[in-house]
Amino acid sequence: MTFTSDSASTRFSGAFNYSTSDAISSTIAVFKALSVDDQLAVLWYAYTEMGRSITPAATGAARLQLAEGLLNQIKQMSHAEQLEVMRDLAAQRNSAVSRSYGILSVNTKLAFWYELSELMVKGFVIPVPAGYQLSRDGSQVLETLKELDFGQQITVLRKVVSDMGVDPLAD
């Protein structure tokens, strides 16, 4: 049996009907079950739709200068290479960029994705393609994320971005 995010709908159909604490872990679980492209799209929509409220908390605490070199590297790539890098991060593929990302702090990772979304809006990094359709589960994750309070949104986003990339220091 092939597992896709849409086939997971049945499996996760009740995932969002729990208490607030369970909603956080359920949202994270369903997010992780999404396709890599849907994960990237959810991050894009979350940051562009909610980014103004989400990111100030992370950016102030983050050492974004540690990620600036990585962001500049990505800006210099072709759009196809940029998309592949983002997919590598989300899929935890072992690459130079994934390893560089892997050593960043959680708050810096959160700010990294915010800055990446800003670069996408400005046209320096490939945006989500026009007309891209999120899967049913991707749309549900995004809607649930919007319904969470600010602290819960940050908790979900911190967890999903912290698990991306590859920690070069891990065994």
Side-chain angles (χ1 to χ4, degrees):
M1 178 172 131
T2 305
F3 182 78
T4 66
S5 60
D6 281 331
S7 71
S9 293
T10 310
R11 186 176 157 138
F12 296 116
S13 61
F16 299 100
N17 299 326
Y18 298 108
S19 70
T20 305
S21 171
D22 289 337
I24 292 169
S25 53
S26 297
T27 303
I28 292 166
V30 176
F31 179 90
K32 289 181 176 189
L34 297 174
S35 71
V36 167
D37 286 342
D38 267 0
Q39 288 181 18
L40 294 174
V42 167
L43 284 176
W44 158 259
Y45 292 125
Y47 275 104
T48 56
E49 292 181 24
M50 302 180 303
R52 301 295 169 241
S53 62
I54 289 173
T55 307
T59 307
R63 295 190 176 126
L64 194 55
Q65 66 270 21
L66 298 175
E68 284 296 325
L70 196 52
L71 289 164
N72 286 330
Q73 251 185 298
I74 293 169
K75 280 179 17 183
Q76 301 306 313
M77 297 175 178
S78 70
H79 278 182
E81 292 169 321
Q82 291 170 345
L83 179 57
E84 195 57 33
V85 161
M86 288 188 273
R87 286 175 171 159
D88 285 350
L89 290 170
Q92 298 175 300
R93 287 189 204 111
N94 193 349
S95 70
V97 172
S98 286
R99 288 187 303 275
S100 295
Y101 175 88
I103 63 171
L104 301 174
S105 73
V106 174
N107 282 342
T108 303
K109 288 176 181 180
L110 197 58
F112 169 89
W113 284 101
Y114 171 77
E115 291 299 321
L116 198 59
S117 73
E118 289 292 300
L119 292 172
M120 292 167 83
V121 168
K122 294 174 184 172
F124 294 115
V125 173
I126 187 172
V128 172
Y132 181 82
Q133 293 293 316
L134 262 176
S135 67
R136 193 173 39 236
D137 287 341
S139 296
Q140 185 64 53
V141 168
L142 188 59
E143 289 308 310
T144 301
L145 192 57
K146 289 177 187 177
E147 293 170 9
L148 297 175
D149 69 33
F150 173 75
Q152 295 162 332
Q153 289 171 347
I154 292 292
T155 299
V156 169
L157 290 172
R158 275 191 179 129
K159 179 63 178 158
V160 300
V161 302
S162 71
D163 289 347
M164 293 181 172
V166 173
D167 184 351
L169 306 174
D171 292 321

